[in-house]
Amino acid sequence: STRQLLRIAKRLQKFSNENAYTSINKACLSRFLPSLAKESLEKMVEKLGIEKSIAAIDNDIKCTVEDGVLTIGQTSAKLYNPETRGKVPETLFYDTPQNLAVMEAMLQDFLLGEHLLLVGNQGTGKNKLVDRLLNLLNKPREYIQLNRDTTVQTLTLQPTVREGVIVYDDSPLVQAAKSGNILVVDEADKAPTNVTCILKSLVESGEMILSDGRRIVPPNSPEQGENIIHLHPDFRMLVLANRPGFPFLGNDFFGTLGDLFSCHVVDNPSMESELSMLRQYGPNVPEDIMRRVVKAFAELRTMADEGQIHYPYSTREVVNIIKHLERFPSDGLGTVVRNVFDFDSYSKEARETLTEVLHKHGK
């Protein structure tokens, strides 16, 4: 859309380390496009003479906070000074070059005033990336998790029992609109499309009609009244969603509302980045075991991309294996791995495929 073109143009003008090829692929979420659509995109890019330059990840990228300024790579932003830090997220996070590169791109869009959409498989660290960035910026957040039973009413009001009486309070969405805190919307692909489309007018024009009759209006609106809520100028939305299609079977949030957001793919880390992170989770786990686990999961992810297996095993499963081995070193690797793969043993075909890959890497 024209909106995406303007977003690409702003990034290319503002940030010297950005290139057109990367921006186009990011805007189209080419990582998750079907093979035919992806091939058509590549042909069009080549036809238009856009250089296919994929920026290499800088292994020396650093994240620092000095004198009230956060710097990730080549991008800097001033820290916020909230009235209270109670809603600033805290999370265990280990920096890797790949994670820092994604966070730098997110910070760049944040500085441009964009709403962000993070798309990836389950367990790739979308929540951790968002929480880590907001923690570094010292920025409070409101959090809401959607599901298949989410309605327009539950999106804007939340019931609470006080002294035996049910009262309806503002939902995290309304609280964020009032206070200017970041609104983190998790599992956005799980909610019905008619519910998530309610967010469109809020992101696009700063307006939204609530289920109790109140209205959110833009910050500069002259409207006044007890039913009028002026959107805070600092309001920003960070939306997290799984990739569309099998095996997550959610709605295609990107297809419905994707052009309203600056999109970022959160993928599993490269082998070296994953090893670097796992060494911090399990400093006493032998290097040989770590490498075997990482190689086995890398092959399983490749097979998932090629459609040979259904579930794309993520970094979350690898981290759980290493944390278990760190805590209980006497447990055998085979026993620990079964904690991840036992469910797949009910399918004969999946079991045979997994057994072959695991035996290949010495498990």
Side-chain angles (χ1 to χ4, degrees), residues 110-150:
F110 193 84
L111 292 172
L112 290 174
E114 301 286 351
H115 300 276
L116 274 62
L117 169 63
L118 274 62
V119 180
N121 295 330
Q122 286 181 353
T124 52
K126 299 185 290 293
N127 282 283
K128 280 187 171 290
L129 283 170
V130 167
D131 286 350
R132 174 64 169 167
L133 181 61
L134 295 181
N135 176 267
L136 290 170
L137 285 170
N138 204 31
K139 182 68 174 172
R141 69 157 194 189
E142 305 289 344
Y143 177 86
I144 186 169
Q145 186 178 62
L146 307 187
N147 55 64
R148 299 186 191 283
D149 297 322
T150 301

Side-chain angles (χ1 to χ4, degrees), residues 332-350:
L333 182 56
T335 303
V336 180
V337 167
R338 277 200 293 273
N339 293 337
V340 173
F341 297 115
D342 265 356
F343 184 79
D344 296 294
S345 65
Y346 291 100
S347 167
K348 181 181 178 182
E349 183 181 346

Side-chain angles (χ1 to χ4, degrees), residues 78-92:
K78 288 185 178 180
L79 301 187
Y80 287 86
N81 185 24
E83 294 181 2
T84 173
R85 282 185 51 88
K87 291 187 176 181
V88 177
E90 299 279 351
T91 186
L92 175 65

Side-chain angles (χ1 to χ4, degrees), residues 226-245:
E226 61 179 14
N227 288 331
I228 299 298
I229 300 172
H230 284 87
L231 186 67
H232 196 283
D234 292 337
F235 173 77
R236 206 73 58 79
M237 197 181 298
L238 302 184
V239 179
L240 316 179
N242 294 313
R243 73 175 192 191

Side-chain angles (χ1 to χ4, degrees), residues 52-87:
K52 295 183 180 180
S53 55
I54 300 176
I57 294 176
D58 180 9
N59 290 323
D60 296 324
I61 187 171
K62 300 294 182 185
C63 172
T64 59
V65 177
E66 293 181 0
D67 300 325
V69 175
L70 166 66
T71 302
I72 304 177
Q74 302 175 30
T75 308
S76 299
K78 288 185 178 180
L79 301 187
Y80 287 86
N81 185 24
E83 294 181 2
T84 173
R85 282 185 51 88
K87 291 187 176 181

Side-chain angles (χ1 to χ4, degrees), residues 34-48:
S35 55
L36 186 60
K38 192 171 184 177
E39 185 179 342
S40 299
L41 176 63
E42 291 291 338
K43 287 181 178 178
M44 183 57 66
V45 167
E46 185 177 352
K47 181 180 178 181
L48 294 173

